[in-house]
Amino acid sequence: MPNPVQISGLNYAYGEGEMRRAVLRDINLSIGAGEIVLLTGPSGSGKTTLLTLIGALRAMQQGDCAVLGQQLLGATEDQRVLLRRRIGFIFQQHNLLGFLTARQNVAMSLELDPASNERDRLTLAGSMLDAVGLADRADAPPSQLSGGQRQRVAVARALANNPGLILADEPTAALDRVSGQEVVHLLRDLARSRGVPILLVTHDPRILDIADRIVEMEDGRILDDARSRA
Amino acid sequence: MNQVSRILAAAPPAPADASLARRLGNALLPARLAWRQLRAERARLWTAIAGVMFACVLVFMQLGFRSALFDSATALPQAMEGELFLLNPMTTAMFKPEQFPRVRAFQTLADPDVAQAVPIYLSFATWRNPETGVRRTIQLIGFDTETGAVAFPGLADVIEALKRPDTIAFDRKSRPEFGDVPRLLAERGPFEAQIGDRRLELVGLIEIGPSFGADGNAVLSETNFRRIMGQRRASNTDLVALRLRPGADVAAVTARLRQLLPPDVAVVSHSQLIAWERNYWESATPIGFIFAFGSLMGLVVGLVIVYQILFSDIASHIPEYATLKAMGYAHGYLRRAVMAAALTLAVLGFIPGLLTSMLLYEFVAEATFLPLEMDWDRGITVFALIFSMCAGAGLLAVRKLRDANPADMF
């Protein structure tokens, strides 16, 4: 069984010619099954770019990057779209659709399966909301939920279709300490119980405790993996 | 999470046809997403519907007026009675006929199925307004009063009087510049009118209606026509109406006459004669263009409104759309959602637009006497135009989706 994420010799640069600016240099990183990895480092260190590359949201330029068995170097747009369906994303902003209820938002991640039906989707979405403690708010629109509740809906949405990997970018940035803690602990517990690995980019020192391993980046490189806590 | 896996495991395997229905249902998911998004912004939705409706009403009115004007322009050929007609192939419209030998009418009688051949003479002369004395050009329609090949409303009442020398009947729908003849006739009874340099007795009224070519009409017998148009060659005519024997095969007679007659006449059916006249006004004059242009303006305004609504709907949901893309929704899915929104607006705007147009048709028909009527053909045409308009707006708005780039989401 290969690692869910296996990266070696990854380089990435923005711009062309004179304007070319390298943001990732010789990245080597692997995430094992069920592993929770935190990616930290100053702004501009390239961690977000790395996350978008692993999430197949951006085309690779150079190096080797296999995610859930899909080689991303030279992957087509269609291959990348298919891979994204197997990854759960959690963003800094919840980005829930305002015109849908919490339950409908979660069901959106299930509608991608052409063989699913509406009733099963809504039932499953309901039990996902139950799992994040929002059973009673399932039919509320996002505008009637607190920030922490919205981010929990986003967690439910990311986990609903049984992803093989969770990618999260500063999920606590818009939340206060208590709800931030709640959200990441929820995320950790749900992922643990299903054996889903997590790669989480954060600046937030209050949530470092959930990590199996902390990877630090600076200036486009990964610093020595010295502070592994596993 | 065990709960979740239990639900998944508990779902019974679906039979094949249910799965097909399910797939079809899932194919409509982009449309449902579009509808939910439209419905969420009521003010925007109403604006869009009003925009489509406005375009719809404008196009309906333009097409309605166009058709009504063409109908009134073909009032003269419509009033003719006959299964077949002969005319000079170079004739473009009734108000400027090319003449052809009258003998062609008599040649057709060689065919056993032709019962009557009636030459009709068309010409213009000056009419002196009996109230003001101002002269104005009027169209004269001369024919053999014995045959009944021409049937204008009111003609039956005056047909006997028209057989007398120097008599004429006046079209009561002629433009008012010709004088209020109906009133004068009611006050004085038959009176003397001046046509060209001749005095004729005005014996009654018939009804044809002005066309683009002629502001007013008067009918008279063949003999009286010749007396006014003394300079015209009596052996030439402008139009010949043929009456066939009952049960004759019109197509077969047409083919035989085509063989029989030299190429200086065209043989056409009644509907072809009307289409001939209509075609002139539609294609050889700017009238058709003006109404087409008016319709186009309506469609452009509608397109801009629908585009604006769809564009701002997309623009205000860029992060959400990018999130959907990150979740694995293909660009095509979102494109389908936008197109579905556009086409939903087409339907939602068309229905009130159609109803409003029907009311307006009734109102305008009462006010102007133009024959405005809603028919299926026009309804379908306008729906197709509105549908294309919304699809066009959708295609323009879809480009904005490119801004929803999931890589910018982090």
Side-chain angles (χ1 to χ4, degrees), chain A residues 56-111:
Chain A
L57 302 176
R58 222 180 261 289
M60 288 274 293
Q61 290 172 348
Q62 199 187 6
D64 209 53
C65 178
V67 176
L68 302 176
Q70 168 72 53
Q71 175 55 248
L72 283 174
L73 185 66
T76 64
E77 171 72 21
D78 286 349
Q79 285 171 324
R80 289 196 284 133
V81 168
L82 284 175
L83 174 60
R84 282 182 220 154
R85 297 185 185 174
R86 297 157 59 205
I87 298 174
F89 290 93
I90 298 165
F91 304 95
Q92 192 168 339
Q93 302 297 324
H94 55 85
N95 292 338
L96 299 173
L97 291 165
F99 51 87
L100 299 180
T101 64
R103 188 200 300 275
Q104 288 167 340
N105 266 292
V106 176
M108 282 301 289
S109 76
L110 300 165
E111 286 178 12

Side-chain angles (χ1 to χ4, degrees), chain B residues 322-337:
Chain B
T323 305
L324 289 177
K325 281 188 182 176
M327 284 161 60
Y329 281 90
H331 190 73
Y333 185 97
L334 300 179
R335 215 163 39 201
R336 282 197 295 281

Side-chain angles (χ1 to χ4, degrees), chain B residues 149-311:
Chain B
V150 178
F152 301 117
L155 186 62
D157 297 338
V158 295
I159 194 81
E160 287 307 317
L162 284 179
K163 290 174 184 171
R164 302 203 308 266
D166 288 330
T167 53
I168 195 164
F170 181 80
D171 174 10
R172 68 160 75 238
K173 283 178 159 178
S174 299
R175 290 189 52 84
E177 289 82 351
F178 289 93
D180 192 353
V181 175
R183 185 178 55 78
L184 292 176
L185 199 64
E187 282 172 12
R188 307 181 192 167
F191 61 92
E192 204 166 67
Q194 190 184 334
I195 304 257
D197 48 12
R198 215 176 161 86
R199 297 192 166 271
L200 293 96
E201 186 191 1
L202 203 153
V203 293
L205 298 169
I206 47 100
E207 210 172 292
I208 301 173
S211 70
F212 296 118
D215 290 342
N217 301 287
V219 301
L220 64 177
S221 72
E222 192 174 348
T223 321
N224 288 330
F225 183 89
R226 292 232 185 85
R227 284 182 176 150
I228 298 174
M229 294 299 179
Q231 74 284 17
R232 221 182 114 124
R233 286 179 64 168
S235 61
N236 278 355
T237 186
D238 300 292
L239 184 70
V240 171
L242 301 181
R243 308 304 305 267
L244 305 188
R245 287 186 210 290
D249 179 354
V250 177
V253 178
T254 310
R256 287 202 299 271
L257 291 179
R258 198 54 279 162
Q259 289 287 317
L260 180 76
L261 297 170
D264 63 351
V265 286
V267 184
V268 295
S269 68
H270 192 198
S271 57
Q272 284 171 324
L273 181 73
I274 295 167
W276 189 300
E277 181 77 5
R278 192 186 173 97
N279 178 55
Y280 171 79
W281 296 108
E282 275 187 41
S283 58
T285 67
I287 296 159
F289 174 78
I290 286 164
F291 287 107
F293 190 77
S295 308
L296 189 72
M297 284 289 101
L299 291 173
V300 167
V301 171
L303 183 131
V304 169
I305 294 174
V306 174
Y307 168 73
Q308 270 299 323
I309 298 287
L310 293 173
F311 180 90

Side-chain angles (χ1 to χ4, degrees), chain A residues 158-225:
Chain A
L159 284 158
N161 65 339
N162 271 314
L165 173 67
I166 301 276
L167 297 177
D169 183 43
E170 307 269 9
T172 58
L175 304 178
D176 59 53
R177 192 179 65 81
V178 176
S179 31
Q181 289 279 353
E182 263 174 26
V183 166
V184 290
H185 286 136
L186 196 61
L187 181 61
R188 180 194 62 191
D189 296 345
L190 287 172
R192 279 259 161 80
S193 68
R194 319 172 110 188
V196 188
I198 299 178
L199 179 61
L200 193 152
V201 166
T202 187
H203 276 115
D204 190 347
R206 299 169 303 198
I207 62 170
L208 297 180
D209 63 307
I210 70 159
D212 294 325
R213 182 153 58 104
I214 296 173
V215 175
E216 220 168 321
M217 282 188 74
E218 198 176 296
D219 205 16
R221 294 176 202 278
I222 289 179
L223 300 182
D224 285 341
D225 217 355

Side-chain angles (χ1 to χ4, degrees), chain B residues 78-96:
Chain B
Q78 277 185 24
M80 304 287 182
E81 298 239 320
E83 286 76 37
L84 289 174
F85 292 84
L86 304 184
L87 74 166
N88 188 317
M90 293 197 321
T91 295
T92 49
M94 293 286 153
F95 79 95
K96 43 179 184 182

